[in-house]
Amino acid sequence: SAVISQKPSRDICQRGTSLTIQCQVDSQVTMMFWYRQQPGQSLTLIATANQGSEATYESGFVIDKFPISRPNLTFSTLTVSNMSPEDSSIYLCSGTGTGDYNEQFFGPGTRLTVL
Amino acid sequence: GQNIDQPTEMTATEGAIVQINCTYQTSGFNGLFWYQQHAGEAPTFLSYNVLDGLEEKGRFSSFLSRSKGYSYLLLKELQMKDSASYLCAVMDSNYQLIWGAGTKLIIKP
């Protein structure tokens, strides 16, 4: 399956600022997703990143807070806007379309701490 | 609503066998996935079941019963490196993955 990289791997940010996380896949993928994972908990889907159009957000997540871009089939960004300490989490990018079972494969994650 | 249940934590001994269960209620079914996640790392794909029965892959096997909404992951000859969280996820009728909360597996020497 393809390999996903994320930048930054971790960051510490001040309340009220914004951070953009980049996700790069080494081959074209059909779908890309953004997740949030609190320590010791499972994955919460934020949105599906659609190539060339607006992302599809899950309940509880809005574009103004988590704008997402996907300009092509190998790259996506997630911005966490106007951050608060409650946004402290691990943010994971995933993709599908290159595995035998259409399984999702994940990037290494971005550990965000908001002070 | 859609729901996936798995035990929060399990403990097993090195060299032994452990079975991690997963029950699900989803709107439609297009396959069940098991992932392994070591602390501080991203989940990695372990297995996929879409038909009833057992899929074996080395020390790991996964079983599915669609009529019972039930799956298990069987780990044999446990090694210390198997200490991790194991996530069950079901693909629903919209091809969206519904994730369980994960089972933290602790291996003791």
Side-chain angles (χ1 to χ4, degrees):
Chain A
S1 60
V3 176
I4 297 182
S5 59
Q6 282 184 236
K7 288 193 300 187
S9 58
R10 59 177 61 226
D11 208 342
I12 300 173
C13 302
Q14 295 297 321
R15 180 195 298 261
T17 62
S18 297
L19 175 72
T20 295
I21 303 169
Q22 297 181 7
C23 176
Q24 178 73 57
V25 193
D26 67 352
S27 61
Q28 292 184 353
V29 291
T30 309
M31 308 279 283
M32 293 182 75
F33 305 90
W34 286 98
Y35 287 89
R36 186 167 71 182
Q37 186 175 33
Q38 303 286 358
Q41 297 187 20
S42 192
L43 302 166
T44 301
L45 180 64
I46 297 171
T48 302
N50 301 309
Q51 193 257 328
S53 64
E54 190 173 293
T56 305
Y57 290 85
E58 297 302 306
S59 176
F61 298 95
V62 295
I63 188 171
D64 291 345
K65 175 67 176 177
F66 297 100
I68 289 171
S69 77
R70 190 182 172 192
N72 55 53
L73 292 176
T74 64
F75 184 77
S76 178
T77 66
L78 167 75
T79 299
V80 186
S81 303
N82 188 25
M83 288 183 285
S84 67
E86 292 70 37
D87 295 319
S88 297
S89 187
I90 297 171
Y91 292 84
L92 292 154
C93 169
S94 76
T96 61
T98 64
D100 292 336
Y101 309 107
N102 204 33
E103 69 272 23
Q104 289 188 28
F105 53 97
F106 289 83
T110 296
R111 183 180 294 271
L112 172 62
T113 302
V114 184
L115 303 178
Chain B
Q2 308 203 89
N3 192 54
I4 295 184
D5 288 317
Q6 40 179 144
T8 303
E9 187 175 296
M10 298 182 71
T11 302
T13 304
E14 189 177 16
I17 299 173
V18 71
Q19 177 175 311
I20 302 174
N21 296 324
C22 170
T23 57
Y24 62 90
Q25 290 178 309
T26 57
S27 50
F29 179 84
N30 281 300
L32 185 144
F33 298 81
W34 283 96
Y35 281 80
Q36 180 190 60
Q37 186 176 25
H38 286 100
E41 298 182 12
T44 55
F45 169 72
L46 285 179
S47 67
Y48 172 74
N49 295 70
V50 68
L51 299 176
D52 290 352
L54 188 69
E55 295 284 341
E56 297 186 79
K57 192 185 293 185
R59 294 189 299 114
F60 293 5
S61 303
S62 56
F63 172 83
L64 175 67
S65 169
R66 287 172 298 171
S67 62
K68 295 181 179 178
Y70 168 70
S71 172
Y72 67 72
L73 180 69
L74 191 72
L75 292 75
K76 303 176 184 176
E77 301 170 16
L78 285 169
Q79 302 175 10
M80 297 304 293
K81 67 178 182 179
D82 297 329
S83 292
S85 288
Y86 291 86
L87 306 172
C88 173
V90 173
M91 187 170 284
D92 68 10
S93 56
N94 295 318
Y95 293 93
Q96 182 165 335
L97 271 185
I98 312 301
W99 292 86
T103 298
K104 182 178 181 180
L105 178 63
I106 299 169
I107 310 296
K108 295 185 174 180

